[in-house]
Amino acid sequence: MQLLGCDVAALNTVHFSNHTGYRQFKGTRSTAQEIRDLYEGLCQSHLTDFDVMLSGYAPSAAAVEAIGAIGLDLQRKAESNPGSFFWGMRNPILVELPANGERSTVLDPVMGDQGRLYVNDDVVPEYKKIIHHADLILPNQFEAEVLSGIKITSLSTLAEAITAIHATYSIPHVIITSVRISLFSSSPEATTDSLTVIGSTIKSDGSPRLFRVDVPALDCFFSGTGDMFAALTVARLREAVFAADSTLRSTKSWVSPDDVKATDLPLAKATVKVLASMHSVLERTLEARDAELRAAASAEETEPGLSEEEKQKREYLRRTKAAEVRVVRNGRFLREPDVEFQAQEWKKEDLPEGLQ
Amino acid sequence: MQLLGCDVAALNTVHFSNHTGYRQFKGTRSTAQEIRDLYEGLCQSHLTDFDVMLSGYAPSAAAVEAIGAIGLDLQRKAESNPGSFFWGMRNPILVELPANGERSTVLDPVMGDQGRLYVNDDVVPEYKKIIHHADLILPNQFEAEVLSGIKITSLSTLAEAITAIHATYSIPHVIITSVRISLFSSSPEATTDSLTVIGSTIKSDGSPRLFRVDVPALDCFFSGTGDMFAALTVARLREAVFAADSTLRSTKSWVSPDDVKATDLPLAKATVKVLASMHSVLERTLEARDAELRAAASAEETEPGLSEEEKQKREYLRRTKAAEVRVVRNGRFLREPDVEFQAQEWKKEDLPEGLQ
């Protein structure tokens, strides 16, 4: 977000030595009280004039509640100026990394039924309490299933899930990251290995306005891409809203009038730019990763006394490090994306009957 | 540093709601154990291949010791590859903000005898223990006095102080930020209001290689500029070292051969770029600050029941916020500085007798 020129106040909910994809880390989690104290510190010095809040992982139900209270307070402060505050919520629910840590997915660590919840059981109800205050959520496919109660096995059930999320939680903007349409058994697109991002901004009658963007899948597991996607999306969404008709920015939750079609939505324009940026960054990450692994392979083995288990662990750590997303080195692709993949309307036959 | 393309692992020693220039804040300080744990987490996953470490404020003597141990461990790991690790040390000693919070200085919150130590008394001896391991330090004028034991009242005594710092602590690179030469009573330059940055890279006989860069002072107190200066300097120094003769990057502490004159030093080239960036960013900050204060003045007073004391406090908070440095919005000036102020050799008559 800073690379896009956003002034960011980061309220850390964890202080870890590294991301959890390494399967080992040290550090501490913020308590709910620490989160509340930091926000109180901002309030007492009148430093809460935020345009956007992006909330993410929280380590406990109490922390979710504390973050929810911050979002609600900022919404309350902005009440008299519709559109002056926007809340994007990342990770309404969190799912565990697959055990092998290596999957071919460009956008999110986990999808579909391979995911397992890795927060305490009491966190999910707490998330469900605050989620209907969000202006935008960005669940992955598995999280969308948990939220909607609908098993996603086709584009049609996916559309139903988004409709349900709009309706059940009154969330105006939804983006589902990392849909693998080729894995849908009935899909005629089963041969192409691409990732699809599905988005929708609600219409005044509560129905979804669906668009999709397809990007080629890259054969690598990257950590942190979900966070990157969410951060870029809120920044680009605000930009697109401010580039649209001037009434939109002072409309609650930035919901476009019904006559704006799906592919012309600010959310669609934002998604297209974000995916262009991410595809460029991840392509370059893949190149850098391969170069790093080649260099490691040709380097001498310095510690010959390692057991087989230790060697495997070392190799896993090396591969994880090599796949760290090269964000800052590729900042220009964030600032100036080369758009290659456009937003598309859904085909009528992909929609469930009620939406055709 | 990220705007310049550096991949940064930030180890936070405090978690505060805002900078202390607001005179009130909430949050926590990291304990020495927490600092050690985070570093251990990096070590266990082999994530310690840092090119540069920039250490800064530490909240206690134990924290200084913990940070010192990290720097020493990284130096030990790099021992067999001279030049592969560089340690810049910001704030060898920390001084209190002046009570009025409003001073005309471009680079550092405090200078000269207005400063008072604001760390516990036991922190200074701990800093003095680790400081001789640093490759670069960036004290302000007051800190340079404390370190050298020499009262700086003229260019000549300033040169003596730098010579003493090189000699006493064996620190190869020294930059003194924010020297107000116009305040030296004997100065013929007393009429011009400029700030001078003095730098030196040691020669093989232990003598300094002094350069100076003068920039116009801006009439505003900015917080955080010392940190910004230090961060940009280490990034630009590494860049200048890698642009120089290829043996320099594999020379311990990146000390240039004796035949490189002061103004051709990588440290001088880095300083020139950093000051160009900072001057542009601070000029734009000043404009944005004035616009923000004008807008606040014309806005209606929303809470008329405030006491005089509360009004003054509110006004102070507003002015402090308005003077927050606009870094990310002006990222292009960091990436592509317009160099206007060049490094100069010292005049012979400004040097103490021993160095003439």
Side-chain angles (χ1 to χ4, degrees):
Chain A
M1 294 181 77
Q2 291 178 315
L3 283 168
L4 293 181
C6 304
D7 258 317
V8 176
L11 199 162
N12 295 322
T13 54
V14 295
H15 314 278
F16 288 167
S17 57
N18 49 269
H19 68 69
T20 54
Y22 285 89
R23 293 190 208 146
Q24 57 179 8
F25 59 91
K26 303 226 169 195
T28 55
R29 292 165 175 80
S30 297
T31 65
Q33 189 56 49
E34 284 168 349
I35 293 169
R36 276 192 293 270
D37 281 350
L38 286 175
Y39 183 67
E40 209 181 289
L42 292 173
C43 288
Q44 74 175 357
S45 292
H46 308 281
L47 298 170
T48 56
D49 54 339
F50 298 109
D51 303 312
V52 166
M53 165 166 156
L54 176 60
S55 58
Y57 173 73
S60 67
V64 173
E65 198 187 344
I67 292 166
I70 293 172
L72 284 174
D73 189 56
L74 291 171
Q75 281 184 334
R76 192 185 51 72
K77 285 177 170 148
E79 231 163 31
S80 56
N81 289 308
S84 67
F85 175 70
F86 187 92
W87 184 357
M89 201 182 287
R90 158 106 179 104
N91 275 338
I93 296 167
L94 274 163
V95 284
E96 197 173 72
L97 292 171
N100 67 4
E102 286 277 351
R103 303 189 63 251
S104 169
T105 161
V106 74
L107 283 184
D108 226 38
V110 172
M111 301 183 313
D113 51 15
Q114 298 198 24
R116 281 188 295 143
L117 297 175
Y118 85 106
V119 289
N120 289 336
D121 288 346
D122 60 346
V123 170
V124 179
E126 205 56 56
Y127 265 122
K128 287 198 173 177
K129 263 191 235 166
I130 66 165
I131 196 172
H132 62 276
H133 297 291
D135 297 306
L136 162 71
I137 62 167
L138 307 103
N140 57 33
Q141 188 172 328
F142 174 73
E143 293 165 338
E145 289 181 342
V146 173
L147 286 173
S148 65
I150 292 169
K151 179 90 188 144
I152 297 172
T153 56
S154 60
L155 280 167
S156 173
T157 45
L158 183 54
E160 283 170 13
I162 292 178
T163 309
I165 291 172
H166 278 319
T168 312
Y169 306 99
S170 340
I171 300 170
H173 305 276
V174 178
I175 288 189
I176 313 223
T177 57
S178 294
V179 178
R180 289 291 284 273
I181 290 179
S182 58
L183 299 182
F184 294 160
S185 55
S186 65
S187 169
E189 308 174 47
T191 49
T192 62
D193 197 17
S194 65
L195 271 169
T196 303
V197 171
I198 307 286
S200 168
T201 296
I202 200 167
K203 284 207 269 194
S204 56
D205 64 359
S207 65
R209 218 173 330 188
L210 291 158
F211 63 87
R212 61 183 276 183
V213 188
D214 299 280
V215 291
L218 295 176
D219 186 26
C220 179
F221 167 80
F222 303 108
S223 270
T225 48
D227 286 329
M228 184 175 163
F229 184 87
L232 292 175
T233 298
V234 292
R236 289 291 183 195
L237 175 58
R238 185 167 191 276
E239 178 189 67
V241 164
F242 275 70
D245 184 285
S246 69
T247 57
L248 185 58
R249 72 193 67 163
S250 49
T251 303
K252 186 174 178 304
S253 301
W254 301 339
V255 177
S256 301
D258 286 354
D259 61 353
V260 176
K261 61 177 191 173
T263 50
D264 290 337
L265 287 169
L267 191 65
K269 292 180 181 169
T271 304
V272 161
K273 282 196 182 174
V274 171
L275 286 172
S277 290
M278 290 193 63
H279 192 70
S280 298
V281 169
L282 294 180
E283 272 186 330
R284 272 142 197 93
T285 298
L286 203 52
E287 283 165 24
R289 180 198 74 152
D290 292 345
E292 192 170 320
L293 290 177
R294 272 196 305 275
S298 68
E300 239 176 310
E301 188 59 63
T302 43
E303 293 170 76
L306 291 179
S307 72
E308 195 50 42
E309 193 188 343
E310 283 163 339
K311 269 190 210 156
Q312 278 186 11
K313 183 181 167 187
R314 184 70 66 92
E315 176 63 14
Y316 175 74
L317 293 172
R318 191 160 27 224
R319 294 185 71 82
T320 306
K321 180 172 192 296
E324 289 271 9
V325 180
R326 270 62 165 187
V327 179
V328 299
R329 299 282 163 94
N330 294 297
R332 71 191 168 96
F333 297 107
L334 301 194
R335 289 190 300 273
E336 294 147 19
D338 299 327
V339 172
E340 208 181 325
F341 317 107
Q342 299 291 347
Q344 301 164 56
E345 299 272 353
W346 279 42
K347 292 181 204 146
K348 207 176 159 200
E349 62 265 31
D350 287 335
L351 293 169
E353 271 185 28
L355 292 173
Q356 279 180 358
Chain B
M1 293 182 77
Q2 291 178 315
L3 283 168
L4 293 182
C6 304
D7 259 317
V8 176
L11 199 163
N12 295 322
T13 53
V14 295
H15 314 278
F16 288 168
S17 57
N18 49 268
H19 68 70
T20 54
Y22 285 89
R23 293 190 208 145
Q24 57 180 8
F25 59 91
K26 303 226 169 195
T28 55
R29 293 165 174 81
S30 297
T31 64
Q33 189 57 48
E34 285 168 348
I35 293 169
R36 277 192 293 270
D37 281 349
L38 286 174
Y39 183 66
E40 209 180 289
L42 292 173
C43 288
Q44 75 175 357
S45 292
H46 308 282
L47 299 170
T48 55
D49 54 339
F50 298 108
D51 302 312
V52 166
M53 165 166 156
L54 177 60
S55 58
Y57 174 72
S60 68
V64 173
E65 198 186 344
I67 292 166
I70 293 172
L72 284 173
D73 190 56
L74 291 171
Q75 281 184 333
R76 191 186 51 72
K77 285 176 171 149
E79 233 164 31
S80 56
N81 290 309
S84 66
F85 174 71
F86 187 92
W87 184 357
M89 201 182 287
R90 158 106 179 103
N91 275 338
I93 297 167
L94 274 163
V95 284
E96 197 174 71
L97 293 171
N100 66 5
E102 287 276 351
R103 303 189 62 250
S104 169
T105 160
V106 74
L107 283 183
D108 226 38
V110 172
M111 302 183 313
D113 50 15
Q114 298 197 24
R116 282 188 296 142
L117 297 175
Y118 86 107
V119 289
N120 289 335
D121 288 347
D122 59 346
V123 170
V124 179
E126 205 56 56
Y127 266 122
K128 287 198 173 177
K129 263 191 236 167
I130 66 166
I131 196 172
H132 62 276
H133 297 291
D135 297 306
L136 161 71
I137 62 167
L138 306 103
N140 57 33
Q141 187 172 328
F142 174 72
E143 292 165 338
E145 289 181 343
V146 173
L147 286 173
S148 65
I150 292 170
K151 179 91 187 143
I152 297 171
T153 56
S154 61
L155 280 167
S156 173
T157 45
L158 183 55
E160 282 170 13
I162 292 178
T163 309
I165 291 172
H166 278 319
T168 312
Y169 306 99
S170 340
I171 301 170
H173 305 276
V174 178
I175 289 189
I176 313 226
T177 58
S178 293
V179 178
R180 289 293 283 273
I181 291 178
S182 59
L183 299 182
F184 295 159
S185 55
S186 65
S187 169
E189 308 174 45
T191 48
T192 62
D193 197 16
S194 65
L195 271 169
T196 302
V197 171
I198 307 286
S200 169
T201 296
I202 201 167
K203 285 207 268 193
S204 57
D205 64 358
S207 66
R209 215 170 335 185
L210 291 158
F211 63 87
R212 61 184 276 182
V213 188
D214 299 280
V215 291
L218 295 176
D219 187 26
C220 179
F221 167 81
F222 303 108
S223 270
T225 48
D227 286 329
M228 184 175 163
F229 184 87
L232 292 175
T233 299
V234 292
R236 289 291 184 196
L237 175 58
R238 186 167 190 277
E239 178 189 66
V241 165
F242 275 70
D245 183 286
S246 68
T247 57
L248 185 58
R249 72 194 67 163
S250 49
T251 303
K252 186 173 179 304
S253 301
W254 301 339
V255 176
S256 301
D258 286 354
D259 61 353
V260 176
K261 62 178 190 172
T263 50
D264 290 336
L265 287 169
L267 191 65
K269 291 180 181 168
T271 303
V272 161
K273 282 197 181 175
V274 170
L275 286 172
S277 290
M278 290 194 63
H279 191 70
S280 298
V281 169
L282 294 179
E283 271 187 330
R284 271 142 198 94
T285 298
L286 203 53
E287 283 165 24
R289 179 198 74 152
D290 291 346
E292 192 171 319
L293 291 177
R294 272 196 306 274
S298 68
E300 238 176 311
E301 188 59 62
T302 43
E303 293 170 75
L306 291 179
S307 72
E308 194 50 42
E309 193 188 342
E310 282 163 339
K311 269 190 211 156
Q312 279 186 12
K313 182 181 168 187
R314 184 70 66 94
E315 176 63 14
Y316 175 74
L317 293 172
R318 190 159 31 223
R319 294 185 71 82
T320 306
K321 180 173 192 295
E324 290 271 9
V325 180
R326 270 61 165 187
V327 180
V328 298
R329 299 282 162 95
N330 294 297
R332 70 191 169 98
F333 297 107
L334 301 195
R335 289 190 299 273
E336 293 147 19
D338 299 326
V339 172
E340 209 180 324
F341 317 107
Q342 299 292 347
Q344 301 164 56
E345 299 271 353
W346 279 43
K347 292 181 205 145
K348 206 175 160 200
E349 62 266 31
D350 287 335
L351 293 169
E353 271 185 29
L355 292 174
Q356 278 180 358

